[in-house]
């Protein structure tokens, strides 16, 4: 029975998504913004963590706003293709962009961007935090961070990254510098393959975005030694934070936030921001996020904009300190 | 007899009206999507994703995966009828499928590809049911070093896929490898050969290339011929729809050989359906007594790749479910669907959520059966496409190709890629070069380079590592055998004549 109602609900939602005009006519109270479907552009492939989180939020924000939100994947070039497109869209709030930490890294690593992250965009609000989980291969036999660092000092350690110049790469470099060790980076294309490499002992460490690594840390196929959150994560409550382990300031959560063009009117940004924060406060949102290893993170439009700027400075510092060149 | 009781559990999960309905819905959508050139299952699956929030996880997965393997059935139809492959993995099928169609054997060809698809799927499902943990373990043993050797083996085996001149075939593969270099260098994140186009930084979109060199090129080639030489509307009677007993006998052995090849390559994350179709075709051509039949309508040439790409599609569920490592984008999407429901794919999935794993497996059998039952009567309908005059048909082909290519990345730039590769494809058709090996070169080029660079990082620059690792050494040995085979044949031939 419950299933049939669920099916009914599901079909109803599809119907709403398809018949945009019908929806508009049965919601005559919704005067003003939004009057037509909103697009949420994101710079990664379907099935990636930003995509999954984005779709959870988009679907619920659509219910709050009374207009469908279409998620559009424009993957490629570390999300720069998507950002370029949004920077050129109309500043009317109908095109939002789901940005992640990488958008605060590329201003330093790329000199060929056709947009300016700090000048062309303003925050609608923070959405989610996806922590990095420090997972090592079991054959290494190191069950705590101290043992791992000692082992790394003694010999060659390879670590995988889902791409050069991503947050996982920079966070690992920052860690190596703090711990006073040298490790060799081995790049893969995507978090899944980077995770497989550490399970198969091709590399020994992956400072992984939590979604691909979590199931393996839970099953015991990998050993989790630390997590990048300021406080312990409910997803892995027994894993200590990097701060607890003595790496003060080494928080490297991959933030996920909604942005629009910087010249979007304040009232529209407020409507979107309020809808976002309403969705993030729903308990079922938190539960769905937790399933992926993420936690809802609320920040208003202005706080988000300021946070984005501070992140650009922070990663620039890390890149310069580690002496990385791109 | 665990497997049997597990399968019983699976069928128990499946045998409700709603679940069966969702399975049927999934495979039907998949089949229709598969027929449309260029449109992959990715677009359909990501659109239906929000619907799965309201379904049980096992039902969600049954529906989404139905789309995925359903699409593998339809994609050879346009290859055979119009020389326009639905996906890169069915480009190989066009090599012999289209000549068969020109000989008036389109019906039997589609029948055989359907049968081959079913056989390939069944074989892979059987492997899934019996050996998933073992196969998953094997997939883990395949590191960068083994991958590189496998790619070398694949490239050499499949380098004969082009009909006609061997030298031209090799030139086209090399061109493909070069085109594969466009994009981002994996070890330095430097952009190469992108000419300032940000859209090229993730490489050239394979579907756009395939649609250019096959789809649009075919249209232009056809229209550039004098009127009486163009593709003509054909009248097909019902009796001509079914293959003869002889046709079927010819198809069986290639199917048996291609199924394990497809399953195995499907299991390796990233290798997938396209490579397996090429390798299966290459194997058939290498062992055939009369190689010259290939490219002119050899039954083996359609049975082998279709068996292999379906087996690969089904086989790719093994790493996805048992390791939690997606082989391609569509698999990543399905993992996402599971994660949202709080189901953790990985080694413990089979023990902790047996109803999901075995329910899905049961749905594979039933879904494939549904596909065969739906497809066989449809053959008559598909073949009727040939009755449409070409002047009405070609605008439809071009429109579908454009929509399909656009849907891959939501990118108008990819349409420009189609245009560029149409020009190239037309030039190749004038010089009698087959573009099929180029696709293989593009797919393999990136993977070979990535894995070679990783292997060199891991071995600190020592190439002997490829011979020190047993799996890798065996693969390189097999490559040598494949290379020496023609030489041996030649020497034997000489000995006989003397």
């Amino acid at each position: 029975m419950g299933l049939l109602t669920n099916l009914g609900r599901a079909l109803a939602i599809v119907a709403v998504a398809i018949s945009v005009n019908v929806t508009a006519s049965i919601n005559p109270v919704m005067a003003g913004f939004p009057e037509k479907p909103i697009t949420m552009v994101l710079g990664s492939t379907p099935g990636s963590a930003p995509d999954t989180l984005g779709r959870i939020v988009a679907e619920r924000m659509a219910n709050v706003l009374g207009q469908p939100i279409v998620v559009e994947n424009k993957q490629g070039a570390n999300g720069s293709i998507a950002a370029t497109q949004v920077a050129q869209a109309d500043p009317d709030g109908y095109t939002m962009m789901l940005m992640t930490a990488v958008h605060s890294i590329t201003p330093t690593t790329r000199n060929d961007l056709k947009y300016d992250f700090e000048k062309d965009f303003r925050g609608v609000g923070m959405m989610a935090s996806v922590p990095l989980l420090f997972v090592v291969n079991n054959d290494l036999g190191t069950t705590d961070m101290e043992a791992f660092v000692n082992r790394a000092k003694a010999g060659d350690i390879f670590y995988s990254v889902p791409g050069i110049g991503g947050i996982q790469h920079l966070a690992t470099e920052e860690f190596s510098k703090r711990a006073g060790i040298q490790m060799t980076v081995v790049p893969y294309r995507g978090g899944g393959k980077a995770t497989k490499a550490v399970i198969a002992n091709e590399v020994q460490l992956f400072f992984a975005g939590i979604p691909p690594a979590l199931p393996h840390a839970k099953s015991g196929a990998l050993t989790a030694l630390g997590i990048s959150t300021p406080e312990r994560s409910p997803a892995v409550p027994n894993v200590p934070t990097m701060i607890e382990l003595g790496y003060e300031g080494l928080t490297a959560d991959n933030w996920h936030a909604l942005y629009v063009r910087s010249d979007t009117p304040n009232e529209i940004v407020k409507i979107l921001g309020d809808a976002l924060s309403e969705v993030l406060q729903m308990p079922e949102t938190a539960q769905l996020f937790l399933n992926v290893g993420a936690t809802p993170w609320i920040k208003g439009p202005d706080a988000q904009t300021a946070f984005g700027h501070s992140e650009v400075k922070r990663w620039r510092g890390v890149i310069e300190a580690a002496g990385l060149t791109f | 007899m665990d497997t049997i009781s597990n399968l019983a559990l699976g069928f128990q999960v499946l045998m409700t009206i709603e679940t069966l309905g969702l399975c049927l819905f999934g495979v039907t959508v998949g089949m229709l999507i598969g027929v449309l050139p260029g449109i992959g299952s990715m677009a359909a699956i990501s659109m239906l994703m929000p619907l799965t929030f309201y379904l049980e996880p096992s039902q969600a997965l049954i529906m989404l995966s139905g789309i995925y393997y359903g699409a593998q059935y339809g994609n050879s139809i346009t290859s055979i009828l119009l020389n326009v492959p639905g996906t890169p993995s069915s480009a190989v099928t066009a090599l012999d499928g289209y000549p068969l169609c020109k000989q008036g054997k389109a019906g039997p060809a589609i029948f055989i590809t359907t049968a081959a698809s079913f056989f390939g799927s069944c074989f892979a499902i059987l492997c899934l049911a019996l050996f998933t943990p073992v196969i998953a373990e094997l997939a883990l043993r395949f590191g960068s070093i083994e991958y590189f050797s496998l790619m070398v083996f694949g490239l050499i085996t499949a380098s004969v896929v082009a009909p006609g001149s061997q030298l031209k075939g090799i030139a086209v593969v090399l061109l493909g490898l070069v085109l594969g270099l466009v994009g981002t260098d994996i070890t330095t994140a430097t952009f190469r050969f992108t000419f300032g186009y940000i859209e090229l930084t993730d490489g050239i979109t394979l579907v756009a290339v395939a649609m250019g060199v096959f789809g649009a090129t075919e249209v232009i080639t056809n229209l550039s011929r004098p009127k009486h030489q163009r593709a003509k509307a054909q009248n097909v009677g019902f009796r001509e729809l079914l293959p003869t007993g002889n046709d079927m006998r010819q198809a069986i052995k290639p199917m048996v050989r291609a199924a394990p090849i497809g399953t195995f390559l499907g299991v390796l994350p990233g290798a997938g359906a396209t490579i397996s179709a090429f390798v299966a075709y290459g194997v058939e051509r290498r062992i055939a007594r009369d190689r010259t039949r290939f490219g002119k309508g050899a039954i083996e040439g359609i049975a082998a790749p279709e068996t292999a790409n379906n087996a690969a599609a089904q086989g790719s569920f093994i790493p996805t479910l048992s390791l939690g490592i997606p082989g391609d984008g569509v698999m990543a999407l399905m993992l996402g669907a599971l994660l949202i429901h709080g189901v953790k794919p990985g080694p413990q999935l089979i023990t902790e959520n047996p109803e999901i794993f075995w329910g899905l497996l049961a749905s594979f059998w039933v879904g494939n059966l549904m596909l065969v039952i739906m497809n066989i009567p449809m053959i008559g309908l598909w073949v009727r496409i040939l009755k449409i005059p070409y002047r009405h048909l070609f605008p439809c082909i071009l429109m579908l190709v454009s929509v399909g290519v656009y849907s891959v990345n939501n990118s108008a730039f990819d349409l420009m890629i189609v245009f560029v590769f149409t020009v190239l494809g037309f030039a190749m058709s004038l010089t009698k070069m087959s573009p099929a090996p180029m696709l293989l070169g593009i797919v393999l080029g990136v993977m070979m380079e990535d894995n070679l660079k990783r292997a060199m990082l891991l071995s600190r620059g020592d190439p002997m590592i490829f011979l020190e690792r047993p799996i890798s050494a065996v693969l390189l040995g097999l490559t040598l055998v494949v290379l020496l085979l023609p030489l041996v044949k030649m020497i034997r031939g000489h000995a006989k004549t003397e």
Side-chain angles (χ1 to χ4, degrees), chain A residues 59 74 189 196 202 216 291, chain B residues 54 142 144 323 410 450:
Chain A
E59 211 234 330
K74 260 212 142 52
R189 293 195 199 255
K196 181 192 161 218
E202 183 160 292
H216 304 289
N291 286 343
Chain B
Y54 301 95
F142 261 77
S144 303
L323 298 175
N410 294 316
D450 286 1

Side-chain angles (χ1 to χ4, degrees), chain A residues 203-216:
Chain A
V203 300
Q204 290 72 46
L205 159 70
F206 180 25
F207 204 175
I210 201 165
L214 184 63
H216 304 289

Side-chain angles (χ1 to χ4, degrees), chain B residues 207-251:
Chain B
V207 174
V209 175
M211 292 304 129
V213 293
F214 285 100
T217 298
E218 172 62 21
V219 169
I220 292 181
T221 319
N222 228 320
L223 293 178
S224 66
R225 289 186 192 124
K227 220 170 189 175
H228 60 277
Q229 286 179 18
R230 288 187 199 160
K232 279 199 203 82
Q234 289 183 12
N235 264 316
V236 197
F238 183 76
R239 215 176 291 160
E240 292 153 37
L241 290 180
L242 298 178
T244 62
N246 197 24
D247 289 344
M248 283 313 280
R249 263 193 299 282
Q250 261 184 312

Side-chain angles (χ1 to χ4, degrees), chain B residues 86-408:
Chain B
T87 55
S89 70
S90 63
V92 195
T93 314
L95 291 177
D96 281 280
Y98 188 57
L100 277 170
C101 172
K102 279 201 209 151
Q103 295 159 20
K105 292 172 87 175
I110 299 179
F111 188 95
I112 287 171
T113 56
T114 307
S117 299
F118 185 67
F119 180 81
S121 301
C122 287
F123 180 86
I125 297 166
L126 201 68
C127 290
L128 262 165
L130 295 176
F131 311 119
T132 290
V134 186
I135 300 176
E137 179 63 27
L138 181 73
L140 272 183
R141 297 253 171 101
F142 261 77
S144 303
I145 294 151
E146 287 78 12
Y147 260 88
F148 176 76
S149 300
L150 179 72
M151 299 291 134
V152 173
F153 175 68
L155 195 66
I156 299 292
T157 312
S159 64
V160 290
V161 289
S165 156
Q166 187 80 282
L167 199 64
K168 280 181 184 170
I170 291 169
V172 175
V173 171
L174 289 177
L175 178 66
L177 289 175
V178 171
L179 288 168
L181 292 178
V182 174
T184 308
D185 182 301
I186 191 167
T187 45
T188 60
T190 315
F191 296 157
R192 302 180 300 200
F193 310 115
T194 57
F195 304 103
Y197 292 107
I198 195 166
E199 290 86 352
L200 286 176
T201 53
D202 272 7
I204 302 175
T205 310
L206 189 68
V207 174
V209 175
M211 292 304 129
V213 293
F214 285 100
T217 298
E218 172 62 21
V219 169
I220 292 181
T221 319
N222 228 320
L223 293 178
S224 66
R225 289 186 192 124
K227 220 170 189 175
H228 60 277
Q229 286 179 18
R230 288 187 199 160
K232 279 199 203 82
Q234 289 183 12
N235 264 316
V236 197
F238 183 76
R239 215 176 291 160
E240 292 153 37
L241 290 180
L242 298 178
T244 62
N246 197 24
D247 289 344
M248 283 313 280
R249 263 193 299 282
Q250 261 184 312
I252 285 172
K253 272 191 192 165
M255 277 156 57
V256 172
R257 282 188 288 261
I261 295 176
T263 310
F264 175 68
L265 289 174
V267 167
L268 298 175
T274 307
I275 298 176
S276 71
F278 275 98
V279 170
Y281 186 94
V283 165
E284 286 310 315
R285 202 166 159 201
R286 290 225 176 246
I287 62 172
R289 274 200 212 107
D290 180 11
R291 257 197 216 184
T292 54
R293 289 188 302 114
F294 282 82
K296 293 175 190 158
I299 298 286
E300 300 95 309
I302 56 171
E306 280 305 309
T307 311
N309 68 25
N310 278 63
Q314 224 77 58
S316 61
F317 280 92
I318 294 179
T320 309
L321 295 174
S322 64
L323 298 175
I325 293 157
D328 60 19
V330 181
M331 285 292 147
L333 201 56
M334 281 195 245
L335 275 189
L338 276 181
L339 281 171
I340 287 181
H341 285 285
V343 179
K344 301 266 169 356
Q348 71 276 53
L349 175 83
I350 303 173
T351 42
E352 278 177 21
N353 303 87
E355 78 287 354
I356 293 183
F357 182 80
W358 294 101
L360 186 65
L361 214 67
S363 86
F364 287 168
W365 288 109
V366 175
N368 273 290
L369 210 60
M370 287 176 181
L371 282 163
V372 169
I373 294 171
M374 281 194 293
N375 266 290
I376 302 261
M378 296 276 268
I379 294 175
L381 186 73
W382 299 129
V383 171
R384 246 176 260 167
I385 292 177
L386 295 175
K387 284 188 180 172
I388 305 170
Y390 204 68
R391 63 176 188 280
H392 297 317
L393 203 55
F394 83 82
C396 301
I397 297 176
L398 288 181
M399 196 193 75
L400 286 172
V401 162
S402 306
V403 172
V405 167
Y406 182 81
S407 75
V408 176

Side-chain angles (χ1 to χ4, degrees), chain A residues 124-139:
Chain A
V124 167
M126 185 58 94
M127 199 177 95
S129 139
V130 179
L132 300 189
L133 194 62
F134 195 101
V135 286
V136 299
N137 182 273
N138 290 344
D139 294 350

